[in-house]
Amino acid sequence: MRIVKLTEECKKDILKNLLKRSTGNYTQYEETVAQILDDVKKNGDKAIFEYTKKFDKFDLNELNIKVTREEIDAAYKEIDPEYIEVMKAAKENIADYHRKQLRNSWIDTKPDGSILGQRFTPIEIAGTYVPGGKAAYPSSVLMNIIPAKVAGVERIVMVTPPGKDGKVNPGTLVSADIAGVDEIYKVGGAQAIAALAYGTESIPKVDKITGPGNIFVALAKKAVYGNVGIDSLAGPSEIVVLADETANPRYVAADLLSQAEHDEMASAILITTSEELANNVSKEVEGFTNVLERKDIINASLENFGYILLADNMDDAIDAVNSIASEHLEILTKDPFQTMTKVKNAGAIFLGEYSSEPLGDYFAGPNHIIPTNGTSRFFSPLNVDDFVKKSSIICYSREGLEKVHDKIELFAKNEGLTAHANSIAVRFE
């Protein structure tokens, strides 16, 4: 891996390079996505069937679009029973973590009889997109569906592209069943997002769409936002490891490569104050890469978006961490908890040498659907709140309103909204 001295200029160049992966840099596909969305909105199932034939090479129709119970049962027979038990154990960890995020509605009463409060209610229908293609990720299925179940969503609809034979990856089906999905439809790409956003004869319109996908899926989610809710615009995976001289270079190298293997656009960055560690990690990365299966992808990822940044001091290193605002952050320092107190921007934070990033991907419980491309400055990992609506509750007595009515009328008149003022004033004529 390239070793670069951390300077302000270097940091700006790296941030600029990382932002090349943003959906905002793929505007050349927006017109195609818009056409697909409009077609599905107007023609429903007919458009869905045509796009599935075109892109997935499968003759989809109203009879085979929905995954049957028999197909799910058959999928269980194709999966190693031990793997199924691991998925079930992961489900319990994920559910337990997300249950702690539940919040209760509340009411606050005052002596004058006025009542204020907040009511939490789950959305009615959630839609989950699950990619197909080169790889299937049952862990992402669990991470999308379980928070919705914990939130109390009554109907969870999943869409995922079929293979040429019309089948869905068995791991995807089993994990969805374990998580508690209600319906699964064999549709992928931008057309699947359109179906969830607008509804078709076969697929119901949902209230919110979650789940990662390719650039066409991301642009489609961006386009339908407002008609439905979305979780975020997911970009390529990324990791930053913040380490000092106490870190084990072999562990650091292994953790960097765990993200670099995702795809050629993934980013893996080590920020350290130790030149010795930087050199040793670079050597370990080379050794691991030579024996790992996804060698070509890893090399492309590191060539495009991989760095070892050598900082003068830990304050400069932490400043770079906050500027990058990475999806995953590992802290491998002498006192990682103390170091963490200075971190402001990170999607998920892993502390200590036995908390490597794949622990969060698969088993620990926190959600692995995390903001990317610096958006952890203002987005959070997928959580129960993403599937809950909050309603304000307001109830004033005459006595309570009488004390403040003149103030409300004054406010309204100063904004030029005399009907607003009158709505209050008529109660005290």
Side-chain angles (χ1 to χ4, degrees):
M1 286 181 72
R2 75 193 104 180
I3 300 175
V4 181
K5 179 73 174 176
L6 179 61
T7 63
E8 280 300 314
E9 192 63 31
C10 155
K11 187 170 68 176
K12 289 178 183 177
D13 288 343
I14 289 172
L15 291 173
K16 185 177 180 180
N17 188 40
L18 293 177
L19 286 174
K20 290 177 182 177
R21 307 172 308 150
S22 167
T23 55
N25 287 313
Y26 293 89
T27 54
Q28 69 269 33
Y29 302 122
E30 288 180 349
E31 185 177 348
T32 299
V33 169
Q35 289 173 353
I36 293 172
L37 296 178
D38 187 57
D39 192 5
V40 174
K41 187 176 183 180
K42 291 177 179 176
N43 299 305
D45 274 357
K46 180 175 180 291
I48 292 291
F49 301 157
E50 290 174 354
Y51 286 120
T52 303
K53 176 66 174 177
K54 179 179 180 181
F55 298 126
D56 300 304
K57 313 303 180 187
F58 176 64
D59 284 318
L60 196 69
N61 58 55
E62 66 276 4
L63 299 178
N64 62 20
I65 188 173
K66 187 175 182 179
V67 172
T68 64
R69 183 68 241 179
E70 289 74 21
E71 288 176 291
I72 295 172
D73 291 341
Y76 271 94
K77 296 176 182 178
E78 295 185 50
I79 301 297
D80 179 356
E82 187 177 359
Y83 183 25
I84 293 173
E85 292 308 310
V86 169
M87 281 195 272
K88 289 179 178 178
K91 172 198 172 180
E92 291 307 314
N93 289 345
I94 297 164
D96 184 58
Y97 181 87
H98 286 82
R99 286 188 197 104
K100 294 177 174 64
Q101 298 174 349
L102 285 167
R103 292 193 279 173
N104 295 320
S105 300
W106 56 270
I107 291 287
D108 182 31
T109 60
K110 298 183 182 298
D112 62 11
S114 60
I115 300 171
L116 297 176
Q118 192 172 46
R119 185 171 178 237
F120 295 86
T121 55
I123 62 175
E124 293 180 30
I125 308 179
T128 294
Y129 185 88
V130 177
K134 296 178 182 178
Y137 298 106
S139 57
S140 288
V141 177
L142 299 177
M143 294 291 181
N144 271 284
I145 294 173
I146 292 171
K149 293 292 289 187
V150 170
V153 178
E154 291 185 3
R155 189 178 182 187
I156 302 173
V157 177
M158 189 178 96
V159 291
T160 189
K164 293 179 182 179
D165 57 0
K167 294 182 178 180
V168 174
N169 180 278
T172 297
L173 293 183
V174 169
S175 59
D177 189 57
I178 288 172
V181 75
D182 295 298
E183 302 158 37
I184 306 172
Y185 296 93
K186 301 174 184 178
V187 183
Q191 59 272 24
I193 300 301
L196 293 175
Y198 306 127
T200 72
E201 295 89 335
S202 297
I203 300 174
K205 181 186 185 305
V206 303
D207 299 312
K208 188 161 192 173
I209 302 171
T210 67
N214 63 21
I215 187 61
F216 293 96
V217 169
L219 289 173
K221 286 173 67 177
K222 183 179 179 181
V224 300
Y225 175 64
N227 191 71
V228 293
I230 64 170
D231 48 354
S232 62
L233 298 174
S237 190
E238 55 196 27
I239 186 172
V240 168
V241 178
L242 175 62
D244 61 17
E245 70 283 354
T246 66
N248 184 319
R250 192 164 175 81
Y251 295 172
V252 173
D255 294 353
L256 291 170
L257 298 181
S258 73
Q259 295 308 292
E261 77 166 345
H262 269 292
D263 61 61
E264 294 85 348
M265 301 292 282
S267 170
I269 299 173
L270 166 63
I271 306 176
T272 182
T273 53
S274 170
E275 186 173 0
E276 181 181 2
L277 179 73
N279 290 322
N280 288 337
V281 167
S282 184
K283 293 175 184 175
E284 293 285 356
V285 164
E286 184 177 352
F288 276 130
T289 302
N290 288 332
V291 299
L292 290 170
E293 291 182 6
R294 296 168 72 89
K295 176 181 178 179
D296 292 341
I297 292 175
I298 289 171
N299 282 330
S301 167
L302 296 181
E303 177 65 27
N304 294 327
F305 304 106
Y307 302 90
I308 296 176
L309 304 180
L310 190 58
D312 288 333
N313 54 65
M314 188 53 67
D315 285 342
D316 286 350
I318 293 171
D319 181 65
V321 165
N322 285 323
S323 295
I324 295 170
S326 183
E327 177 188 20
H328 306 102
L329 171 66
E330 288 189 9
I331 301 179
L332 300 174
T333 60
K334 185 177 181 180
D335 186 351
F337 284 91
Q338 194 277 332
T339 305
M340 180 185 66
T341 63
K342 299 180 181 180
V343 173
K344 299 176 182 177
N345 303 320
I349 303 173
F350 300 80
L351 302 175
E353 62 182 8
Y354 294 105
S355 305
S356 60
E357 188 278 335
L359 175 67
D361 268 355
Y362 297 113
F363 205 74
N367 210 290
H368 80 197
I369 299 170
I370 308 170
T372 57
N373 266 350
T375 58
S376 65
R377 290 184 182 87
F378 46 85
F379 276 134
S380 304
L382 192 70
N383 61 84
V384 168
D385 277 353
D386 284 302
F387 301 97
V388 171
K389 301 176 276 91
K390 307 170 187 73
S391 300
S392 302
I393 298 171
I394 303 162
C395 177
Y396 264 51
S397 63
R398 178 180 176 85
E399 179 187 357
L401 185 60
E402 191 169 18
K403 292 178 180 178
V404 297
H405 78 92
D406 56 338
K407 295 179 175 64
I408 301 168
E409 292 167 33
L410 179 62
F411 219 136
K413 289 174 182 175
N414 274 275
E415 290 192 348
L417 300 175
T418 53
H420 278 62
N422 184 62
S423 174
I424 299 292
V426 294
R427 286 162 167 79
F428 298 99
E429 289 175 345

